[in-house]
Amino acid sequence: MSDAPTTIALVDDDHAGELLTLRRAAFVTEAQLYDDPNIPPLTQTLHELREDMAREDIVTVGAWEGTRLIGSIRVELEGQKATLGRLAVAPDKQGRGIGTQMLVAVAPYLPPEITEVWVFTGKDSKQNLSLYTKHGYEEQYDQAAGDLTYTYLRRVLGSVEVKDETTA
């Protein structure tokens, strides 16, 4: 267990290999849940990841413990909408609030014109759905993509606070 503080910073191209490794490790359980080793986070190549990170409309935020990348989230910006994806936490660091830190850490990186934030996850990913709804995201619709069905959730900025579990 490390005593290094967790810091939040943008992930740049110099850390693309580490980001790819983190995502692959984090998404193994998701692939097992769906019995599908070909989900996009596991099949993306380093070249594809670097191309994605170089896009002007993509922001990748990371959680660092010392020099180790232990969490990340991808933000795609489009007009007044931001879409979060690929929320990943190192398997040995899961269950410690890093996913929540990543969700909260996105806000300072959003341009002022963003009015709503969307997330998506597998329909059967109960833990992910619980995390998102706890933080003010509301289910909007499901969409099939091959053998997977994704649930899309939305949070309108400024309209919802994090649910207090003592009153829920």
Side-chain angles (χ1 to χ4, degrees):
M1 186 165 193
S2 174
D3 292 331
T6 300
T7 57
I8 304 298
L10 292 176
V11 181
D12 61 25
D13 188 73
D14 290 344
H15 298 281
E18 190 173 3
L19 176 61
L20 186 67
T21 301
L22 169 68
R23 284 183 179 170
R24 287 185 175 168
F27 278 92
V28 166
T29 54
E30 194 84 353
Q32 291 170 334
L33 174 65
Y34 293 100
D35 194 28
D36 184 357
N38 297 309
I39 62 174
L42 296 183
T43 60
Q44 185 177 42
T45 66
L46 182 58
H47 177 75
E48 290 167 340
L49 174 63
R50 283 193 154 123
E51 283 183 339
D52 187 65
M53 291 176 70
R55 289 175 40 187
E56 298 265 335
D57 61 335
I58 300 293
V59 177
T60 304
V61 180
W64 304 85
E65 190 174 79
T67 59
R68 180 184 176 205
L69 182 63
I70 60 169
S72 71
I73 192 165
R74 177 187 185 272
V75 184
E76 184 171 0
L77 306 170
E78 181 183 352
Q80 296 181 322
K81 173 182 164 184
T83 302
L84 309 182
R86 308 264 168 108
L87 174 59
V89 176
D92 65 316
K93 299 294 181 178
Q94 292 176 3
R96 300 180 187 188
I98 296 164
T100 295
Q101 279 183 287
M102 298 309 313
L103 281 178
V104 173
V106 164
Y109 297 98
L110 298 178
E113 63 268 15
I114 298 295
T115 59
E116 60 185 32
V117 180
W118 287 76
V119 297
F120 62 95
T121 190
K123 182 173 180 55
D124 296 329
S125 301
K126 302 300 182 203
Q127 202 170 16
N128 296 349
L129 290 168
S130 175
L131 173 68
Y132 296 138
T133 56
K134 178 182 175 186
H135 290 279
Y137 291 85
E138 296 178 355
E139 291 187 31
Q140 300 296 308
Y141 63 91
D142 292 337
Q143 182 175 16
D147 292 336
L148 285 176
T149 299
Y150 292 107
T151 297
Y152 286 79
L153 303 92
R154 178 181 72 154
R155 179 174 180 208
V156 177
L157 296 181
S159 68
V160 183
E161 295 302 318
V162 173
K163 295 179 183 176
D164 181 351
E165 291 186 7
T166 60
T167 60

